[in-house]
Amino acid sequence: MATLAIIGAQWGDEGKGKITDYLAEGADAVVRFQGGNNAGHTIVVGDEVFKLHLLPSGILRKGKLAVIGNGVVIDVNELIKEMDTLKAAGRSLDGLRISDRAHIIMAYHKKLDGAEEKYRGDRPVGTTGRGIGPSYQDKVARIGFRMGDILDPDAVERVAKVTVPYKKDLLGMFGAEPCQCTLDGVRERFASWGKALGEHVCDTSVLVNDILDGGGKVLFEGAQGAMLDVDHGTYPFVTSSSTVGGGICSGSGVAPNRIGKVIGCLKAYTTRVGEGPFVSEIHGPEGLELQRRGGEFGTTTGRGRRCGWLDLVVAEHSQRLCGFTSWALMKLDVLNDYETVRVCVAYDIDGEEVTHFPSSISKLERAEPIYVDLPGWEGWDDSEAVAAEGYKALPKNLRAYVKFIEKRTGIPADIVSIGPKRSETIDRRGDWWS
Ligand code: GDP
Ligand code: IMO
Ligand code: MG
């Protein structure tokens, strides 16, 4: 099968960007299919560090197409800024293609994101404030602007006539900062976006399917993680898109029978940004110590990520939803030098042992983690040298930890990552496109 997908198995920030960049070498196109610039994907190439929010991670590989699919919501000004940063770093954007069906995040969406959070009072979601939720709301309400509109003044006119007065009223109702939008202003903005980005806009479903029909290879890059999925995540502490396997199809216009291998990107421990239940969270100084060791600070907002032990109840939930065929097991080096590493294998909820992730937030808040403790391992000096030697060079107890995860989940850890660089990746499979 000529497609590969990478999906976060936890609450995001598992290292999807690193693995996408690594596997993009063998692909013809890399496709983002959901989310927006709430994502922050860090990629280390030699001495350079790239933090991508909207551009697919394949953009860093020469000669590849980097596709922003219809399921993504786009803050056009932020996209242009990100493109400029990459151009300044000497990277080409010739391969960028943007779906004409992708929705646009407008300034009022960002204002509404903040206003909705205020309404939630002492139970905010802790959004990234990027206007993601309000933009997806408009898509479903059928009043959103789409990327194709930057080349279609009639469409802008049609949408703006309904949406601009509606948003003004809505912001007024929220008592939020008023919307400065005028019909003329919107017309001008779309025309200028058309000039800046028009050549990149096309029907990306046709493009991607044509690549596959011609025997090409397509890599799908998920954003966020399965536990932030709007249907299956820790609702309402989720994002507003389909982050699970099914999201690939609706968000890129590729049929389910074309999806081949699905790699679950699984951090060797767990992190979460923002609010919401987190059963295996480590509270207090020990949690902060793991945060320090792992450099767990948000790529997008700079917020400290909450940290905890690996949770296999979460892994079971996400693998069922996404159909993972391999794990990419990330950041194992961060667990170096712990005397004991803990793995949550079930929850105790009101005296009952639970192994399926519950939908009820109050149940999750009462859940106590049930751990299996495994012996830790000593760290090493040079991760590149260890990775070059291969999997067997890793400490015995680390390999036992990996084996434990493989056995409990029934999924092979085909990629093991021990550092942020491309060269700190142990690929136990290699034949990804066969
Ligand atoms: P993403 O959102 O899933 O792409 O992940 P982020 O980029 O937000 O966060 C992952 C962070 O861990 C980034 O800073 C990566 O450079 C870094 N990283 C990725 N893999 C590894 C690894 O195996 N070890 C260590 N120490 N860092 C890693
Ligand atoms: P990547 O792709 C981690 C979280 C936010 C918040 C919730 C809703 O880098 O893994 P939103 O702004 O989407 O409405 O916020 O989702 N969130 C992420 N957490 N990694 C991400 O992306 C995230 N994108 C959104 O912190 O809790
Ligand atoms: Mg991230």
Side-chain angles (χ1 to χ4, degrees):
M1 188 73 77
T3 63
L4 258 183
I6 294 163
I7 296 186
Q10 294 148 319
W11 281 280
D13 303 325
E14 298 89 349
K16 299 174 294 293
K18 171 185 161 161
I19 293 305
T20 304
D21 167 70
Y22 173 76
L23 290 170
E25 191 178 16
D28 297 297
V30 178
V31 183
R32 274 275 309 265
F33 54 89
Q34 46 69 233
N37 61 327
N38 49 350
H41 296 181
T42 314
I43 297 151
V44 181
V45 184
D47 294 334
E48 291 177 292
V49 179
F50 297 92
K51 291 178 187 295
L52 301 178
H53 300 282
L54 272 162
L55 291 169
S57 299
I59 200 82
L60 300 177
R61 298 269 188 188
K62 266 194 199 140
K64 315 285 173 189
L65 287 182
V67 180
I68 301 182
N70 58 278
V72 176
V73 284
I74 301 177
D75 185 326
V76 182
N77 291 332
E78 291 303 317
L79 175 60
I80 292 171
K81 271 193 221 160
E82 206 171 309
M83 290 167 70
D84 288 344
T85 307
L86 279 199
K87 276 185 211 155
R91 303 280 161 162
S92 163
L93 287 145
D94 292 351
L96 177 64
R97 300 289 181 276
I98 306 166
S99 169
D100 51 5
R101 291 179 170 84
H103 277 246
I104 294 180
I105 299 179
M106 303 288 283
Y108 49 74
H109 290 131
K110 288 182 264 187
K111 289 183 183 162
L112 286 165
D113 199 347
E116 287 177 3
E117 282 286 77
K118 274 197 197 137
Y119 259 72
R120 293 185 187 114
D122 62 356
R123 300 235 67 184
V125 171
T127 73
T128 58
R130 300 295 189 264
I132 305 294
S135 169
Y136 278 116
Q137 286 170 29
D138 280 5
K139 172 177 175 171
V140 177
R142 296 153 296 186
I143 54 167
F145 289 102
R146 301 190 298 172
M147 282 306 292
D149 300 351
I150 69 173
L151 298 170
D152 184 350
D154 291 344
V156 175
E157 205 73 23
R158 272 197 304 275
V159 180
K161 276 198 173 127
V162 177
T163 304
V164 171
Y166 172 59
K167 292 296 159 180
K168 285 195 163 168
D169 287 352
L170 198 62
L171 281 164
M173 191 197 91
F174 270 117
E177 206 187 313
C179 175
Q180 307 298 337
C181 248
T182 60
L183 273 177
D184 281 344
V186 171
R187 272 188 213 114
E188 271 172 38
R189 202 164 324 135
F190 273 70
S192 80
W193 288 341
K195 283 196 193 114
L197 291 179
E199 61 181 342
H200 296 284
V201 174
C202 65
D203 185 330
T204 53
S205 167
V206 171
L207 173 77
V208 173
N209 280 284
D210 281 352
I211 293 172
L212 292 171
D213 290 343
K217 300 178 186 109
V218 176
L219 178 61
F220 296 97
E221 175 182 13
Q224 290 79 55
M227 302 310 288
L228 287 169
D229 183 82
V230 68
D231 284 279
H232 301 283
T234 43
Y235 189 92
F237 303 101
V238 292
T239 191
S240 297
S241 65
S242 290
T243 60
V244 295
I248 301 170
C249 303
S250 56
S252 65
V254 171
N257 60 356
R258 301 205 91 153
I259 308 300
K261 302 181 185 89
V262 186
I263 300 171
C265 203
L266 186 72
K267 207 183 279 193
Y269 49 99
T270 311
T271 62
R272 155 157 227 180
V273 198
E275 303 302 318
F278 180 174
V279 179
S280 66
E281 183 166 11
I282 309 172
H283 298 279
E286 280 180 47
L288 291 175
E289 172 58 16
L290 183 51
Q291 183 188 69
R292 189 193 63 75
R293 288 186 190 210
E296 295 295 351
F297 297 91
T299 314
T300 298
T301 58
R303 289 180 289 179
R305 297 172 182 151
R306 297 154 65 193
C307 293
W309 298 111
L310 181 65
D311 182 342
L312 293 186
V313 182
V314 163
E316 185 273 337
H317 189 67
S318 57
Q319 75 190 61
R320 175 165 30 79
L321 298 166
C322 302
F324 297 137
T325 47
S326 301
W327 293 123
L329 201 48
M330 309 302 293
K331 300 189 87 160
L332 272 154
D333 53 301
V334 175
L335 294 184
N336 286 352
D337 300 315
Y338 272 96
E339 206 160 295
T340 303
V341 282
R342 314 194 85 183
V343 183
C344 174
V345 293
Y347 300 158
D348 178 331
I349 305 178
D350 306 328
E352 195 189 328
E353 191 170 314
V354 172
T355 51
H356 293 304
F357 195 85
S359 69
S360 152
I361 294 294
S362 52
K363 269 193 187 172
L364 284 164
E365 282 170 347
R366 294 200 304 280
E368 291 293 335
I370 298 175
Y371 286 118
V372 170
D373 287 346
L374 298 168
W377 55 86
E378 261 181 44
W380 50 81
D381 291 332
D382 183 346
S383 288
E384 276 179 293
V386 172
E389 275 187 62
Y391 188 66
K392 289 218 166 82
L394 291 172
K396 193 167 132 272
N397 286 351
L398 184 155
R399 284 183 280 131
Y401 183 70
V402 174
K403 187 98 200 148
F404 181 85
I405 297 164
E406 292 183 316
K407 259 190 133 168
R408 295 290 292 219
T409 60
I411 295 174
D414 286 330
I415 292 178
V416 170
S417 175
I418 56 169
K421 297 183 195 152
R422 286 173 178 169
S423 52
E424 291 166 321
T425 314
I426 299 174
D427 188 340
R428 300 170 73 197
R429 183 187 171 106
D431 59 337
W432 288 100
W433 298 101
S434 64

